[in-house]
Amino acid sequence: MTAPLKAVDGNADLTELMNALATGARAAARVLALASAEQKNRALEAIERAIRNHAVAILAANAEDVSEARASGATPAFIDRLTLTQGRIDAMADGVATVRAIPDPVGAVTERWQRPNGMTIERVRVPLGVVGVIFESRPNVAADAGVLCLKSGNSVILRGGSDSFRSCRAIHGCLVEGLREAGLPEAAITLVPTRDRAAVGLMLTGLSGAIDVIVPRGGKSLVGRVEAEARVPVFAHLEGVNHVYIDHAANLEMAKSIVLNAKMRRPGVCGAAETLLVDRKGAATSLKPLVEMLLDAGCEVRGDDAVQHTDERVKPASDEDWDTEYEDAIIAAKVVDGIDEAIAHIHNHGSHHTDAIVTEDKAAASKFLNEVDSAIVLHNASTQFADGGEFGFGAEIGIATGRFHARGPVGAEQLTSFKYRVHGTGQTRP
């Protein structure tokens, strides 16, 4: 199911390998850009089937990765991100099916207008070209990125983390199987076949113009390196320093349910809440129940003076806590003087990823949704909905927190650009 590893001895051989991969990906991109929706969907159907059929092999490969990570002392949150289960493989396959079912974005006319001289102008979606995806521990990113790029007519070069190397190879074998069955070039979805970290640096150079955009999917250090070194555009996915603000007009039972889910459903995902803000006007009735609920659920709470007074188990929060993505069962908590202070705190300490308000006051909700400058803002819902699958995209290539056209979950549509088609009847410019 997986291709044999290529031998890489020294920088010269690695550079030669990466340039060869890039040449193949560029050629494949030209084919994919013109492939019909039906052909791409045949490949996606075959990929879904291959993932389901090869679940045992994927799990076996993943078990080796997890065992190695445990032996190296990886944290529980890291192990959770790395681990695949039958349920997660089923969800991966279901995501492929959802991607197959969405309309093909390539060739869609988003706008059309006529000029006074009679010319008709259309704005049409086109693929980006070759996408380079650099990711760390989550092996499912290989499938998500592969199928989204395929759907949007892009070829992709995947460079997974060394910790998920075996898992990614097993998943990549399923992707190639689907491409082959549909008669599409196997180089359309390429996995860098080495753990050599120098491959990342080569990708960041753009490989002589072969890579059109880089998508980093990982921790702050990876994203920082990519943004500092990349010579091609980057869809930046910064850390998820996400907030839940409990307004004085919040329903307490709803607030408890949302906060518990936002922090503890999967503390290691980028959509997990890292900071709890509570309106002082409602703190007398809401603060203690929320803090006790988190502590009883096994979450460490680090709070300001007001939060510390609610329970002796609360630890004092440092200045660094307000800017930290824990990726663990830890949350910082603070009492604020109303929605304006909450918004100011999010502006000063957030990462423009995902932030939520819990309130029954429509005016407060509208103010929060309008003024919080994050890629995703929610009213009365958990921050853990920050996920392309939950948005109906089937999967995501990442959560973009920058200000390019792709912001929030990056799905198939966001992996396209556009061109203008102009239809004339012999017009010349005076």
Side-chain angles (χ1 to χ4, degrees), residues 77-78 80-81 88 138 140 217 237 239-242 261-274 325-328 353 382-387 396 399:
F78 183 93
D80 177 66
R81 294 193 296 275
R88 291 180 182 180
R138 297 181 195 279
N140 64 289
R217 182 81 180 268
H237 175 151
E239 57 195 334
V241 183
N242 307 321
N261 183 268
K263 177 72 258 186
M264 297 299 287
R265 173 187 167 270
R266 288 188 68 187
V269 301
C270 67
E274 307 292 10
E325 182 183 27
Y326 299 107
E327 297 184 326
D328 204 348
H353 192 294
S382 169
T383 57
Q384 298 241 354
F385 282 105
D387 178 89
E396 68 181 38
I399 305 286

Side-chain angles (χ1 to χ4, degrees), residues 164-220:
S164 60
F165 189 67
R166 300 176 187 87
S167 306
C168 289
R169 287 186 66 214
I171 293 169
H172 178 248
C174 299
L175 302 176
V176 170
E177 188 174 314
L179 291 169
R180 189 183 300 125
E181 187 169 324
L184 289 170
E186 294 180 19
I189 304 176
T190 297
L191 178 69
V192 176
T194 173
R195 296 190 185 197
D196 193 329
R197 293 181 181 273
V200 173
L202 290 169
M203 288 181 68
L204 296 181
T205 68
L207 295 172
S208 302
I211 295 179
D212 296 288
V213 64
I214 291 284
V215 181
R217 182 81 180 268
K220 189 174 183 179

